[in-house]
Amino acid sequence: KFKHVNIGASIDGSYKRAEYWRHGTIWDEILYNFQHIRTNAPHVKIQVAYTLSWVNAHNLVSLHKEWVEKEMIKMDDIGINILQHPSYYSLHILPDWKKQQIENLFNEHIQWIKKNSTNNDIVKKFELAIEYMNKTNIDYRLGIRGFIYPNHQLDLIRNESFFDVFTEHLDLKQWLIDRNIYDYELQRIN
């Protein structure tokens, strides 16, 4: 028997978002396994490693808050790994208004963290994500165009729909449609 056991779980979303993002994931099994460890091995420290992209930025906040409130993890038991490649999922390819939306969400979450914890390490992780997102400015039309084709192909293969799952990004889809980017890219690839 080991005195100290740490488990690092690579989880990039919750519920249907986790199942879409990591195809083949069964969310109820993840919950069962976490509860099983908590019940049968309370000495085991569980940490979440979350790879952050624009796709799952909203879900990071809800997952973190839910799991802290349910005492599945402690406030600082989540690592945030900022995805850089493929670049069409990276935070910095978004138009400014969408970046602002995510920044506002993260800043609200930082306030919740500060209200419920004295640990500044997790605050710094969210602040670094905001800094990364805003530091690099590329032509969003190139970046977001790169997202449309591979995602459309995956949806066809899997018989899924990205925007049915990630409804928090329907505003981005509409924005792309309004600028004839979305339909143009779909026509170009078909």
Side-chain angles (χ1 to χ4, degrees):
K1 194 170 186 176
F2 296 100
K3 283 185 176 183
H4 303 286
V5 178
N6 292 324
I7 295 177
S10 182
I11 298 175
D12 303 329
S14 57
Y15 303 97
K16 64 183 180 178
R17 288 167 179 81
E19 292 175 348
Y20 179 96
W21 195 238
R22 292 216 180 170
H23 190 72
T25 295
I26 301 170
W27 184 247
D28 287 342
E29 287 182 9
I30 291 172
L31 291 178
Y32 172 82
N33 290 334
F34 265 77
Q35 293 298 349
H36 184 78
I37 292 167
R38 283 282 172 248
T39 302
N40 297 305
H43 67 286
V44 172
K45 180 178 174 108
I46 301 174
Q47 295 178 300
V48 173
Y50 197 98
T51 300
L52 174 63
S53 69
W54 67 263
V55 172
N56 63 2
H58 287 78
N59 199 208
L60 168 60
V61 169
S62 58
L63 172 73
H64 184 233
K65 190 173 183 179
E66 177 185 352
W67 280 25
V68 168
E69 288 176 344
K70 288 184 176 180
E71 298 180 355
M72 294 175 72
I73 61 171
K74 292 182 178 154
M75 186 69 77
D76 62 335
D77 285 344
I78 189 163
I80 301 173
N81 308 306
I82 299 172
L83 181 138
Q84 295 179 23
H85 298 285
S87 61
Y88 49 81
Y89 290 134
S90 181
L91 287 163
H92 68 263
I93 64 109
L94 293 172
D96 289 341
W97 66 268
K98 191 68 174 177
K99 287 180 183 181
Q100 188 62 55
Q101 187 183 87
I102 292 171
E103 182 175 343
N104 292 345
L105 177 73
F106 282 8
N107 281 327
E108 286 175 26
H109 191 59
I110 287 169
Q111 293 310 308
W112 176 82
I113 293 168
K114 287 179 177 179
K115 181 180 167 190
N116 292 288
S117 175
T118 58
N119 186 324
N120 283 330
D121 291 341
I122 187 64
V123 168
K124 288 177 187 167
K125 292 174 187 178
F126 278 92
E127 289 173 342
L128 284 171
I130 293 169
E131 182 182 327
Y132 172 80
M133 178 175 64
N134 290 320
K135 183 172 82 173
T136 309
N137 236 347
I138 65 167
D139 186 345
Y140 59 82
R141 289 168 294 198
L142 298 175
I144 210 70
R145 276 189 167 133
F147 154 80
I148 295 169
Y149 175 76
N151 235 69
H152 179 71
Q153 291 301 99
L154 283 175
D155 282 352
L156 289 175
I157 292 166
R158 297 174 178 174
N159 195 29
E160 295 176 325
S161 171
F162 174 86
F163 290 107
D164 286 349
V165 175
F166 293 92
T167 55
E168 62 271 30
H169 298 306
L170 285 171
D171 56 356
L172 181 60
K173 180 181 181 182
Q174 188 60 52
W175 186 85
L176 292 165
I177 289 169
D178 291 347
R179 281 151 187 78
N180 297 318
I181 297 171
Y182 192 81
D183 292 334
Y184 171 78
E185 286 300 312
L186 289 181
Q187 289 171 4
R188 190 176 68 79
I189 59 179
N190 287 330

